Amino acid sequence: MPPHASSAAGLPGEGDEQSGPPVRQALSDSVYESIKAMVMDHEIAPGARVGIDALSRALKVSPTPVREALARLESDGLVVKRALSGYRATELLTRQGLAELFEMRLLLEPRAAALAAVNATEEQLDGLERILEEMQVQPSPNGRYASYRDFAGLDQRFHEAIGQAAHRPLLADAVERLHAHLHIFRLGDVVGAGGPTVAEHERIVRAVLRRNPERAAEAMTEHLTRSMERQLDDDGGDEPATP
């Protein structure tokens, strides 16, 4: 039984699935997070087959929420569905794949930051500041998904909030669909939340708050470039920094 199965034992039982939409959604979300943790922690190895029946038994739920969770994880880019062979966990990014991911981010996100400096509403500016404040008080993760999930989620929310504040729906959608943070955090141990990521985010927020599109784009470019260098340092060593 996978290590997460014991924690999943506290999930709502199958009988609770019939209790109405809120309980069913809670079950679906819990199963999704449990399987996601297995993928992120490599308990389901990259490239390995993901068996619906085996997961149902391990998590003590029916196959339905497992199928729903795998569909969500496919959208996240963490599993792929292949004809006749079912789901498999996606392979880890190679060094080349990582470079290409950052290449795409460098095309999209500096432009989003510049537009956010011009177009963000006051409510969106407040939202960016709140996300940054939450990131500043996150405890240092220890390398397991459970320890860095909140920080990773805030990191993702930050970059997606910049995209939304640009008021360019296609651009915001492109930033979100990269799922960059999931792929990067999945590569290995995570440097503590007090590292350079938060300081770089602070510079981006200051530029956006000052309505300075040039500086916002520069700050985002600097952040992404330094993040890529941290990731690729030591020939893609086994301790990637946060994105």
Side-chain angles (χ1 to χ4, degrees):
M1 181 178 296
H4 281 275
S6 60
S7 62
L11 296 171
E14 288 185 72
D16 293 333
E17 269 189 85
Q18 308 303 321
S19 301
V23 172
R24 181 178 178 82
Q25 186 60 48
L27 174 65
S28 179
D29 290 344
S30 296
V31 171
Y32 165 76
E33 285 295 340
S34 294
I35 301 174
K36 184 177 180 181
M38 294 177 193
V39 174
M40 296 295 288
D41 289 336
H42 302 181
E43 290 170 15
I44 298 175
R49 185 176 178 276
V50 183
I52 292 175
D53 290 340
L55 285 171
S56 297
R57 290 192 297 271
L59 298 175
K60 297 181 172 60
V61 296
S62 73
T64 299
V66 173
R67 290 192 186 96
E68 293 172 350
L70 291 175
R72 290 172 66 182
L73 291 168
E74 183 180 23
S75 178
D76 290 339
L78 292 178
V79 301
V80 292
K81 187 177 185 181
R82 295 173 179 165
L84 305 179
S85 63
Y87 288 99
R88 288 187 178 276
T90 54
E91 298 287 353
L92 297 180
L93 285 175
T94 62
R95 186 177 177 85
Q96 178 63 29
L98 186 64
E100 290 178 6
L101 175 62
F102 274 99
E103 181 179 31
M104 285 297 298
R105 297 184 73 186
L106 284 163
L107 287 172
L108 297 171
E109 296 192 52
R111 178 61 175 163
L115 289 168
V118 175
N119 297 322
T121 65
E122 291 301 315
E123 182 179 1
Q124 287 172 326
L125 294 176
D126 290 342
L128 283 171
E129 288 187 293
R130 284 195 298 272
I131 294 171
L132 182 61
E133 289 169 358
E134 289 184 60
M135 292 186 78
Q136 290 169 333
V137 299
Q138 284 294 310
S140 295
N142 64 18
R144 298 285 293 180
Y145 175 68
S147 78
Y148 66 75
R149 179 181 62 190
D150 291 343
F151 184 77
L154 289 166
D155 201 14
Q156 181 175 346
R157 279 175 54 198
F158 178 84
H159 285 271
E160 291 180 359
I162 292 286
Q164 292 293 332
H167 289 263
R168 296 292 191 275
L170 290 177
L171 178 56
D173 186 60
V175 170
E176 182 176 352
R177 285 179 180 273
L178 285 176
H179 297 294
H181 300 77
L182 289 176
H183 296 302
I184 293 170
F185 275 102
R186 189 177 168 220
L187 287 174
D189 295 335
V190 181
V191 175
T197 297
V198 173
E200 291 163 10
H201 282 191
E202 288 174 349
R203 288 192 283 273
I204 295 167
V205 170
R206 282 200 302 269
V208 172
L209 289 173
R210 292 171 181 170
R211 302 291 188 180
N212 187 329
E214 292 81 11
R215 182 56 193 141
E218 290 172 2
M220 181 64 80
T221 298
E222 180 181 44
H223 167 49
L224 294 176
T225 300
R226 290 186 175 181
S227 179
M228 179 172 61
E229 290 170 351
R230 291 192 292 267
Q231 294 288 342
L232 296 174
D233 191 31
D234 295 327
D235 294 321
D238 58 2
E239 190 174 293
T242 48

